[in-house]
Amino acid sequence: MNGRVLHVVGTRPNFVKAAPVVAALRTAGCEQVLVHTGQHYDERMSDIFFRQLGLPRPDVDLGVGSGSHARQTAELLIALEGELTARDPALVLVYGDVNSTLAAALAAAKLGIPVAHVEAGLRSFDMAMPEEVNRRLVDQLADLHFATSPEAVGHLAREGVPADRIHLVGNPMIDTLLTHLDHFDPAAARAAHALPERYAVVTLHRPANVDDPEAVRTAAHALTEAARLVDLAVPLHPRGRAALGEAGLDGAPGVHIMDPLGYVEFMSLVKGAAAVITDSGGVQEETTVLGVPCLTLRTTTERPVTLTHGTNRLITPVELVPALRKLLDTDPRPPSEGPPLWDGGAGPRIANVVTHWLDHHG
């Protein structure tokens, strides 16, 4: 095997996706570099993930932090260009669809370094979502495309990606979930946050829900009404906490607002929840495998497989209370078998493709 693999991670979901890939490549004896961009810079949102997921400490933390999309992406491009030039990897692995993903792919492509995209081919067809812009551009730049679901393979093929570059490997985020499943303790997490036995978990972070003042008010009102049906556990990023708090969610009866949680603690709460209300892509996937009913406050999803195989449903804020009431009044569906290859083996499958590629291109 020839050449070094450089992983770029920057946000919580990136860490969860990268962990099984890093572990499998380590087992294969691959030389690796882990670059953390610092796009999420709160200790609870990054450092704890490395500890819990068994990732090695990053070889470098760029500490870019937050900012507008243009400013953050520009700073990431500059910082990542320096790292790529200094470390000269044979392949750059990028994850998901955040600004760190796009910046790493673009910097690598400009330097003539091949790129592999984990979670390639997902499409919401909503270009108002920054993530949709990122994932489409990254797939145009990538040399290897690791897809989590059959429809993602179809999207890539229709966009002209050669078949020999597309690999259906399953979902590395689910590898991490299954690896830690025995560590999830809903009772302990519930007790730590003084939650009743029956509760729902809420996660909101997308700009469409937490940046627009009218949308924030609408979401906060819907959640306040939902809390009349069941207590809500609401871990919030700082930005979302400020916006939703000002809109009246903080202090509403039955609403338990808390700081962002570590992976194991958060997934413990999700596993024990009567329902999850979210706008997150990853949470849609995790609830699908755990068999927890999920109401997604979005009009589109880039993960339609969670609608067909899982317990997920797209809703508007107006639909939240009746949809939640219906869920709470009926027994949720049992866990499905899950989408194809969501079996805990995505990391090794990705590692097999990467090591074979390095043997021929590294």
Side-chain angles (χ1 to χ4, degrees), residues 90-239:
L91 184 67
V92 173
L93 257 76
V94 299
Y95 298 83
D97 51 26
V98 296
N99 288 342
S100 296
T101 311
L102 174 60
L106 185 54
K110 290 281 191 178
L111 292 169
I113 302 170
V115 173
H117 184 201
V118 176
E119 218 177 59
L122 297 182
R123 298 290 180 267
S124 69
F125 302 101
D126 178 3
M127 290 297 283
M129 292 178 63
E131 297 88 352
E132 181 75 359
V133 176
N134 290 346
R135 62 176 79 99
R136 283 174 173 269
L137 291 173
V138 171
D139 283 336
Q140 290 296 311
L141 298 169
D143 300 83
L144 289 172
H145 301 75
F146 294 117
T148 60
S149 60
E151 73 271 7
V153 173
H155 295 326
L156 292 167
R158 280 189 292 275
E159 290 169 14
V161 177
D164 61 354
R165 294 186 174 193
I166 305 171
H167 302 271
L168 179 62
V169 293
N171 191 335
M173 181 173 265
I174 301 307
D175 287 23
T176 299
L177 186 152
L178 296 175
T179 297
H180 292 85
L181 195 56
D182 291 344
H183 299 131
F184 301 155
D185 187 342
R190 195 173 67 234
H193 297 285
L195 293 167
E197 190 161 338
R198 202 175 200 208
Y199 63 92
V201 172
V202 179
T203 73
L204 294 179
H205 71 280
R206 294 196 179 277
N209 284 325
V210 301
D211 283 0
D212 176 75
E214 186 176 344
V216 171
R217 284 193 296 273
T218 302
H221 175 72
L223 291 170
T224 301
E225 292 298 308
R228 298 175 186 270
L229 302 177
V230 65
D231 280 42
L232 303 181
V234 193
L236 283 175
H237 296 186
R239 185 180 66 182

Side-chain angles (χ1 to χ4, degrees), residues 11-360:
T11 64
R12 298 163 67 122
N14 285 174
F15 309 152
V16 179
K17 295 162 191 170
V21 181
V22 171
L25 285 170
R26 186 190 307 129
T27 300
C30 181
E31 182 184 355
Q32 303 180 78
V33 175
L34 188 62
V35 175
H36 176 19
T37 67
Q39 185 174 331
H40 275 177
Y41 52 93
D42 185 294
E43 190 275 341
R44 288 178 297 262
M45 299 167 78
S46 57
D47 288 1
I48 194 168
F49 271 59
F50 287 97
R51 294 198 298 272
Q52 291 188 344
L53 300 179
L55 280 165
R57 298 303 306 165
D59 294 280
V60 62
D61 186 338
L62 300 178
V64 169
S66 61
S68 71
H69 284 286
R71 180 179 295 278
Q72 185 181 67
T73 305
E75 291 180 1
L76 286 163
L77 275 169
I78 295 165
L80 285 165
E81 183 183 57
E83 286 301 320
L84 294 173
T85 302
R87 297 181 184 273
D88 191 28
L91 184 67
V92 173
L93 257 76
V94 299
Y95 298 83
D97 51 26
V98 296
N99 288 342
S100 296
T101 311
L102 174 60
L106 185 54
K110 290 281 191 178
L111 292 169
I113 302 170
V115 173
H117 184 201
V118 176
E119 218 177 59
L122 297 182
R123 298 290 180 267
S124 69
F125 302 101
D126 178 3
M127 290 297 283
M129 292 178 63
E131 297 88 352
E132 181 75 359
V133 176
N134 290 346
R135 62 176 79 99
R136 283 174 173 269
L137 291 173
V138 171
D139 283 336
Q140 290 296 311
L141 298 169
D143 300 83
L144 289 172
H145 301 75
F146 294 117
T148 60
S149 60
E151 73 271 7
V153 173
H155 295 326
L156 292 167
R158 280 189 292 275
E159 290 169 14
V161 177
D164 61 354
R165 294 186 174 193
I166 305 171
H167 302 271
L168 179 62
V169 293
N171 191 335
M173 181 173 265
I174 301 307
D175 287 23
T176 299
L177 186 152
L178 296 175
T179 297
H180 292 85
L181 195 56
D182 291 344
H183 299 131
F184 301 155
D185 187 342
R190 195 173 67 234
H193 297 285
L195 293 167
E197 190 161 338
R198 202 175 200 208
Y199 63 92
V201 172
V202 179
T203 73
L204 294 179
H205 71 280
R206 294 196 179 277
N209 284 325
V210 301
D211 283 0
D212 176 75
E214 186 176 344
V216 171
R217 284 193 296 273
T218 302
H221 175 72
L223 291 170
T224 301
E225 292 298 308
R228 298 175 186 270
L229 302 177
V230 65
D231 280 42
L232 303 181
V234 193
L236 283 175
H237 296 186
R239 185 180 66 182
R241 182 167 194 161
L244 287 163
E246 287 176 16
L249 187 64
D250 205 347
V255 175
H256 305 255
I257 291 183
M258 54 194 72
D259 289 332
L261 304 174
Y263 177 75
V264 171
E265 188 175 12
F266 175 69
M267 292 309 305
S268 295
L269 279 182
V270 168
K271 185 170 187 279
V276 171
I277 302 160
T278 191
D279 60 7
S280 160
V283 173
Q284 295 174 56
E285 296 179 332
E286 290 158 338
T287 52
T288 288
V289 172
L290 291 173
V292 176
C294 183
L295 299 173
T296 298
L297 280 170
R298 286 170 50 184
T299 56
T300 61
T301 179
E302 66 285 351
R303 293 164 167 88
V305 72
T306 65
L307 304 176
T308 54
H309 279 79
T311 57
N312 188 27
R313 177 182 164 192
L314 299 179
I315 59 163
T316 64
V318 173
E319 296 169 321
L320 174 58
V321 170
L324 181 61
R325 182 181 288 114
K326 184 177 179 181
L327 274 182
L328 295 172
D329 288 346
T330 58
D331 289 329
R333 284 187 287 168
S336 67
E337 292 184 4
L341 302 182
W342 289 24
D343 56 4
R349 291 186 196 102
I350 292 169
N352 285 340
V353 174
V354 168
T355 53
H356 179 79
W357 188 92
L358 289 171
D359 285 339
H360 291 83

